[in-house]
Amino acid sequence: MKMAEGGNEIYLDHAGTTLYPKSLVEKFAADMTSNLFGNPHSASSSSQTSTSRIEDVRLRVLQFFHADPSEFDLVFVANATAGIKLVADAFRGHERGFSYLYHQASHTSLVGVREETPHSLCLDDAAVHNWLGGKDPTTELGQHAGPVLFAYPAQSNMDGRRLTLDWSHGIRKCQSASDRPIFTLLDAAAFVSTSPLDLSNSETAPDFTVLSFYKIFGFPDLGGLIVRRQAASIFASRKYFGGGTVDMVVCVREQWHAPKSQALHESLEDGTLPVHSIIALDSALDVHCQLFTSMRDVANHTSFLSRRLHDGLATLRHSNNKPVCVLYSQPACTSGNGPVIAFNLQSHLGGWVSLAEFEKLAVLKRFHIRTGGLCNPGGIASSLSLEPWEMKRNFSSGFRCGAENDIIGGKPTGVIRVSLGAISTISDVDKFIEFIAEFYRAADIPGSVSSIPLQAAQDQPNLYVKSITVFPIKSCGGFCVPAGATWEVREEGLAWDREWCLVHRGTGQALSQKRYPRMALIRPVIDFTKGHLRVSYLGSSKNGESELYIPLSANPSLFQTTAASKPMASRVCGEEISAQIYTSSKVNNYFSDILDVPCMLARFPPGGLGNRMRHAKAHLQKHQKVNKTHYKVPYRFPGMNTPPDSDSESERQRILLSNESPILAINLSSLEILNRQIVSHGGRPVSPEAFRANIVIASLGADSQSFAYSEDHWSSLKIGQQDFKMLGSCRRCHMVCIDQETAKKSEEPFVTLAKTRRFDGKVFFGTHMCHIPSQRTDTKEAQFPTITVGDEVLVDPV
Ligand SMILES: *Cc1c(COP(=O)(O)O)cnc(C)c1O
């Protein structure tokens, strides 16, 4: 089996989907190319081939679960969720309504069924046990006479916990107070991926079992609903009928239809079956058996690995003996637990590690894992002790699935989930444990807050501006301001910085190098003499167009008019902006061809849009404030304007399309230290361009090492004649790992930064700043503030 890229990937998201073996894809391809499969249910031979294959596969799948076809029927659906909805459809249609009870470990797709009835209840273990012991929870739901549906997962997709299959039988046997029939729905989607499911006893089997085949075989993307025939009558209540499920339909003058009555699946499989996916199951079953022999073997293999992973993580300790991982999963051997480990990371001081930050590093180290709420609201709430009011507070304070800010009120909002599958190896598990130990165990983290390499600078270093760069098109290459040129600084940043951006044609989302690394090779040059932005591409483009010229003047005829079509709302970092979109297909195709994504060029009006302006998000970080006392103020320059000092004021700093603040600066001395650390571990030094700073500050002569990371403690700067306020350190992501010359991604510098420059779980390098306009109005510098390469830089420390 081969992984798509390079083979260095470590795939630990089998609960998301397991991987599709190469031999399966090949076998399926051979099957497809040597047979002719038509739309089933007609007389042609291609149609007949499909029909008979589908019926064979249906039987094979039932046999895979030891389900006797005279007791069970299999309905093909898109995925487990579609199976759940089909069951919900039937109950919703029941003339007396229905009561719905679901276990708290349920997947979101099971939880959602509750919206189909006013009578629903979420049960924990105790409530289920009480029910089995005779305490009927449906009495809480008020008087009504419809059937009862009890749903639960065979295995939690969040922490791998396995719930006993006996409940299906036990609960069904519980007579409800008013003799209402009770049905059981088992969500086996997570369970069957690494466990045998045995339905050989139809008396004890659940009435409805749903699953997704891609979770077992990796392919095809298909689901199944296994119905116990004794429960089939409930589907008579289903109202909707789709093509293929009826024998006759009368529309004109009278409305009448006759559902197909021979086989249950015929009346439930709406529309054309996913013929080729079903046929692929044949190959999937063959290959799975060849590679792994049986589900029993898969189960043994994965529980062994899962125990090793669990124990490895559980025994990791910080140097002060505090655990590194807080685990929510049980080891596979003791209780029934699938090969899924859910946990969070804690610092040696007990602080939680942000999931978003963890993912950045995991991605660079090529681990494929999942973090967050994992579609399991009840499981997350109980593992993390989140009360409903806390979850609602988090939601109303802006938290969304996948948000950056994922520690709220001192609690994590999700978990890290590692899940194993049939192809997982000891090496996968050990590498993951080593990764956690290397980056999250305190003994191995040299750069904790107390050891910022920071000494009081003895001599005033001669700081100067080494280079000035603007990025006319957001996320594309930079334009180096030539030596000697004066460059205007504005409240919202350097002139011409991030004035343009590329937006996706479909979503309006601004494109970023993170997803499209080749953007680094798109090089805009500002040519004031010719009055245009000259764009070239360093790689080879599909259409071979080498250069593009975009007028610097914002001639309205270049843009889509508001009247003709409502301009699409564009988004930068999730914020809505209204940029002007270029109409020229030559312009838009130039970028689309290079990046191989349908996109358009957009321009942000200079100076912004009044109230619709975007504002800086940068602010001082905690690590920047801690060392105040031991940093002596070595130099303070006269005549400096007092910078605005309230946080709120700095947060209202206007920006154009840059991510966080008007101007980003880096200190070359810090980069030298960083590069020394990278080289000492055998890595290659990174160039300043990787950080995409506007201003690179270097020191002349002075011992640069003693000056490294002093920018953490600057409060303001004077560059030439201009004053700047520092807005806080720049939080980094793995975008710094894209080589701006080759657009290739590597691990550095993020991996070393994560070890040396991580504060509060976040990684920082460089500093945000903004220009402070002069109070005076009568000088040239005040009226047209500029900076120049080579300008002297004076620092005012915090
Ligand atoms: C994956 C999963 C689902 C959803 O499966 P789909 O294929 O997305 O419909 C439901 N329940 C559990 C337990 C799962 O693991």
Side-chain angles (χ1 to χ4, degrees), residues 667-675 704 707-711 765:
N667 173 0
L668 213 51
S669 309
S670 310
L671 179 57
E672 280 165 18
I673 291 277
L674 174 65
N675 273 334
S704 68
F707 205 60
Y709 295 123
S710 59
E711 67 273 23
F765 191 90

Side-chain angles (χ1 to χ4, degrees), residues 15 79-82 107 109 153 155 157 187 189-190 212 214-215:
N79 47 33
T81 303
H107 187 277
S109 293
Q155 176 180 311
N157 64 309
D187 173 3
S212 291
Y214 69 90
K215 287 195 181 171

Side-chain angles (χ1 to χ4, degrees), residues 383-439:
S383 287
L384 304 178
S385 316
L386 287 170
E387 297 296 330
W389 66 265
E390 288 178 298
M391 296 177 84
K392 285 185 170 168
R393 172 201 60 192
N394 295 352
F395 184 83
S396 54
S397 68
F399 174 76
R400 296 294 180 275
C401 207
E404 278 269 317
N405 192 10
D406 49 31
I407 310 287
I408 304 179
K411 286 184 181 181
T413 49
V415 300
I416 301 167
R417 182 184 76 183
V418 176
S419 54
L420 305 168
I423 62 156
S424 299
T425 62
I426 290 185
S427 150
D428 294 344
V429 166
D430 291 354
K431 279 187 188 147
F432 186 74
I433 299 168
E434 279 160 29
F435 164 64
I436 298 294
E438 182 180 359
F439 289 94

Side-chain angles (χ1 to χ4, degrees), residues 433-628:
I433 299 168
E434 279 160 29
F435 164 64
I436 298 294
E438 182 180 359
F439 289 94
Y440 296 97
R441 188 161 61 180
D444 295 324
I445 305 169
S448 62
V449 174
S450 54
S451 62
I452 299 175
L454 175 80
Q455 290 100 37
Q458 295 85 3
D459 310 313
Q460 170 155 345
N462 294 308
L463 293 180
Y464 70 101
V465 173
K466 181 141 196 300
S467 63
I468 301 173
T469 307
V470 291
F471 301 88
I473 309 175
K474 181 186 166 59
S475 242
C476 292
F479 168 70
C480 265
V481 172
T486 52
W487 204 262
E488 187 190 358
V489 285
R490 301 182 184 146
E491 202 192 340
E492 68 273 8
L494 297 180
W496 303 101
D497 192 41
R498 272 89 171 193
E499 217 171 293
W500 287 269
C501 69
L502 296 170
V503 297
H504 192 278
R505 264 178 204 268
T507 63
Q509 201 82 249
L511 302 189
S512 136
Q513 235 180 71
K514 234 193 271 185
R515 190 171 301 168
Y516 304 101
R518 282 201 301 259
M519 291 176 87
L521 306 183
I522 297 176
R523 298 297 168 88
V525 171
I526 300 169
D527 188 335
F528 292 113
T529 345
K530 300 219 172 69
H532 60 215
L533 188 70
R534 186 174 75 248
V535 185
S536 56
Y537 177 59
L538 295 191
S540 53
S541 163
K542 265 200 291 205
N543 69 359
E545 194 81 57
S546 60
E547 284 192 340
L548 182 72
Y549 304 92
I550 297 157
L552 291 177
S553 59
N555 180 345
S557 70
L558 297 172
F559 303 107
Q560 289 178 359
T561 54
T562 329
S565 64
K566 193 173 173 298
M568 181 167 37
S570 309
R571 291 189 155 264
V572 173
C573 300
E575 264 177 89
E576 198 165 301
I577 56 158
S578 62
Q580 297 169 292
I581 309 270
Y582 282 78
T583 49
S584 157
S585 56
K586 183 170 179 218
V587 168
N588 295 333
N589 290 345
Y590 177 83
F591 295 105
S592 301
D593 287 345
I594 289 172
L595 298 175
D596 216 3
V597 55
C599 63
M600 305 179 286
L601 185 69
R603 186 169 188 172
F604 208 51
L609 294 162
N611 291 339
R612 309 275 306 275
M613 196 61 208
R614 299 179 66 231
H615 291 94
K617 297 179 212 59
H619 56 88
L620 279 186
Q621 304 292 334
K622 285 190 205 131
H623 72 269
Q624 302 188 264
K625 297 170 184 162
V626 288
N627 279 330
K628 240 185 202 172

